[in-house]
Amino acid sequence: MSAETGGGRAVSRFALNQWTTRRWSVAEAVDGCVRHGVEAIGLWRQDVAEQGLDETVELVRDAGLRVSSLCRGGFLTSGDALDDNRRAIDEAAALKAACLVMVVGGLPGVVPGEPLGAISRDLAGARERVAEALAVLAPYAGERGVRLALEPLHPMYCADRAVLSTLGQALDLADPYPVEQVGVVVDTFHVWWDPEVFRQIARAGERIASYQVCDFLSPLPADVLLGRGVMGDGVIDFAPLTTAVTEAGYTGDIEVEIFNADVWAADPDEVLPRIMTRFDELVGG
């Protein structure tokens, strides 16, 4: 299978996160990857469930694609999330995903996009819940050959999505576990602002389980979840981050993950060549 942009240069490490082309089903995204010469895909659990896990496994295998990640496990701070996360681990194992991305959850009771009701404001306690859940899930994942990838999210998501806001925090949580059980995600949207990011990337080394890229738009849209832009449309300088991740020893797929209303509204067959070209020009690897 070739891996070329419209300009003809190799992007063999390019991976398409399925939600970048959200209009596509799993089957359509797999087909799109094949047609555009993409060799790896990041999948989302709800879309895999809609397609059917067994059928998704077959589609990916027959297409010769790597599964760069499965999104997502996590939300460990509210209720009993262990059973759902065990299912997520089993799904990642079936798909032979390089990692299961863990978005760990916000303050207990805070639901993304919903008005505040009865909530806990105990941030330290929420982070302790994450640590306690990880102590249960990491060995389970290890037994099944699945790597959990802790993803720190930009601090603006601390209340509702992730009480891990920096790469340093994620590494502190991962440190007690073997690197093949627990790694971290370096996502440019979430970490570009951190004055410690280059030191923490170097510290992460072989714990880097996934490198995800998109741009940080300015101004952000009203729904900040959709502030992830095509590389070159925002404020991030990608080359130093890619260099740091490479020098840390990461050789895996580089996944483009964009949540953006205009990108989602566009024809995925037009979006994909554009982001592959931007990847080649700005991200490299």
Side-chain angles (χ1 to χ4, degrees), residues 42-284:
L43 296 170
W44 281 70
R45 291 183 65 206
Q46 56 266 54
D47 298 291
V48 170
E50 184 174 345
Q51 188 73 50
L53 178 59
D54 291 342
E55 185 176 350
T56 300
V57 169
E58 184 176 353
L59 284 168
V60 170
R61 182 192 64 219
D62 291 349
L65 297 179
R66 301 183 297 274
V67 178
S68 52
S69 72
L70 178 65
C71 282
R72 62 195 177 199
F75 287 87
L76 305 172
T77 55
S78 298
D80 182 7
L82 294 178
D83 285 345
D84 184 62
N85 276 277
R86 290 187 186 99
R87 286 191 292 272
I89 290 167
D90 293 341
E91 292 161 14
L95 291 161
K96 295 182 171 57
C99 64
L100 173 65
V101 173
M102 301 291 285
V103 175
V104 299
L107 293 172
V110 179
V111 179
E114 295 188 8
L116 293 181
I119 67 168
S120 168
R121 293 177 171 84
D122 182 4
L123 180 56
R127 289 172 175 153
E128 182 59 31
R129 286 193 185 194
V130 175
E132 291 170 354
L134 191 60
V136 175
L137 294 172
Y140 185 88
E143 290 168 359
R144 287 151 183 81
V146 172
R147 194 178 197 191
L148 305 180
L150 302 175
E151 182 170 19
L153 267 55
H154 191 284
M156 64 184 169
Y157 301 117
C158 185
D160 63 350
R161 285 183 170 85
V163 294
L164 295 182
S165 301
T166 68
L167 190 56
Q169 287 177 313
L171 288 168
D172 288 345
L173 199 58
D175 275 345
Y177 303 98
V179 294
E180 65 271 14
Q181 284 186 13
V182 183
V184 296
V185 179
V186 177
D187 184 318
T188 57
F189 181 87
H190 294 303
V191 304
W192 73 274
W193 61 273
D194 185 354
E196 289 289 305
V197 67
F198 294 107
R199 187 173 74 84
Q200 295 300 332
I201 288 173
R203 172 191 167 195
E206 59 183 341
R207 282 205 186 270
I208 299 175
S210 178
Y211 180 37
Q212 297 181 332
V213 298
C214 72
D215 220 330
F216 191 102
L217 298 180
S218 183
L220 286 168
D223 184 350
V224 295
L225 186 67
L226 304 185
R228 303 172 71 104
V230 175
M231 297 79 71
D233 288 354
V235 300
I236 296 176
D237 187 3
F238 292 95
L241 290 164
T242 299
T243 296
V245 168
T246 300
E247 291 179 349
Y250 180 73
T251 59
D253 295 312
I254 302 174
E255 191 174 291
V256 176
E257 182 185 57
I258 300 172
F259 301 170
N260 180 290
D262 291 335
V263 171
W264 286 349
D267 182 349
D269 276 313
E270 296 178 0
V271 168
L272 190 46
R274 179 159 65 100
I275 62 175
M276 291 176 74
T277 297
R278 293 284 187 90
F279 178 96
D280 194 31
E281 293 172 347
L282 300 174
V283 179

